[in-house]
Amino acid sequence: DYSKVNKKVLENLIKCGAFDWTEHTRKSLFEVMATGIKLGQDAQVRKKSGQLSLFGATFAKPVLEIPDVGEWPLRTKMKFEKDALGFYITDHPINSYHEIIETCNTKTTDFIINALPTDSEFSVAGIISSANTILTKTGREMALVDIEDADNVFTAAFFGEAYLKNLENMKVGLAVLLKGKKEWNKNREMDSYK
């Protein structure tokens, strides 16, 4: 029923893989979606009107031919998943940097938060998912950058020299490597990360 499931809903269902069980590629389903919607709408109109064929029989159920047009590239599939759901299913973009990440001895955010001892240094790799420049109380620019690793999204604040030095690298979709230190914050009575 197109009044309940419209084109945008179908697009997002295809893009996030809800129809992968059909064994047709997401790209193939996306390519024939408009034709499928039209066939479905026509069939509903005929059914509601009680329309019969020329010889008095009911119309046959429409058949949608789905040609194999290949699949979207992995990055495209991941982008569509992220846009439709807010997270990745097939893979995570940071995994394409696996070899570099291993050589840099990075840790995941889950490990840093839950297992890394206080007063320890760490490296974490992630993909920038948003970057916003704001003004501090003193009128200076700083940036709040959301970075996503395979486990979590965390916000890194850049100000002063670190802000100026990294301004060109604060682009959505860019892979970054951050180094920091897990420290005990006496005022807040909790770990902080610098």
Side-chain angles (χ1 to χ4, degrees):
D1 187 350
Y2 194 67
S3 65
K4 295 179 181 159
V5 179
N6 62 28
K7 181 180 177 184
K8 188 68 175 169
V9 171
L10 284 173
E11 281 180 4
N12 284 329
L13 288 170
I14 291 169
K15 287 178 177 182
C16 74
F19 298 112
D20 286 359
W21 60 271
T22 66
E23 297 184 11
H24 294 288
T25 65
R26 295 178 193 182
K27 184 178 179 183
S28 296
L29 293 171
F30 195 80
E31 294 286 325
V32 299
M33 182 182 62
T35 304
I37 290 170
K38 179 77 172 116
L39 285 172
Q41 287 175 321
D42 291 348
Q44 282 186 334
V45 167
R46 283 194 304 271
K47 184 178 179 181
K48 285 180 182 176
S49 70
Q51 190 176 12
L52 300 175
S53 71
L54 183 62
F55 302 105
T58 58
F59 283 96
K61 290 182 181 179
V63 176
L64 179 63
E65 296 293 327
I66 304 173
D68 185 1
V69 296
E71 183 59 281
W72 290 313
L74 180 59
R75 283 192 178 272
T76 303
K77 281 176 72 172
M78 289 188 297
K79 180 189 180 317
F80 286 156
E81 290 170 357
K82 178 76 170 177
D83 291 346
L85 300 170
F87 56 89
Y88 302 102
I89 296 175
T90 305
D91 199 357
H92 193 287
I94 198 66
N95 292 337
S96 61
Y97 301 96
H98 178 71
E99 290 178 12
I100 297 169
I101 290 170
E102 276 189 6
T103 61
C104 294
N105 194 27
T106 64
K107 307 294 183 215
T108 65
T109 51
D110 273 349
F111 177 85
I112 293 167
I113 293 166
N114 299 313
L116 187 71
T118 301
D119 294 324
S120 297
E121 293 184 352
F122 63 86
S123 296
V124 62
I127 303 290
I128 296 176
S129 56
S130 73
N132 299 301
T133 300
I134 60 173
L135 292 177
T136 65
K137 291 178 185 177
T138 60
R140 294 186 168 206
E141 287 186 334
M142 68 171 284
L144 296 175
V145 181
D146 288 338
I147 301 169
E148 186 173 332
D149 72 356
D151 295 335
N152 295 299
V153 177
F154 60 95
T155 302
F158 293 86
F159 45 91
E161 187 179 328
Y163 169 77
L164 295 172
K165 186 178 177 182
N166 293 291
L167 187 57
E168 292 297 315
N169 297 322
M170 296 180 200
K171 293 183 175 45
V172 172
L174 188 67
V176 293
L177 176 71
L178 300 176
K179 294 184 179 208
K181 186 173 182 180
K182 182 177 183 177
E183 297 176 341
W184 182 253
N185 185 323
K186 293 176 187 173
N187 296 334
R188 291 184 171 173
E189 295 187 6
M190 61 187 284
D191 285 323
S192 64
Y193 308 90
K194 295 181 179 185

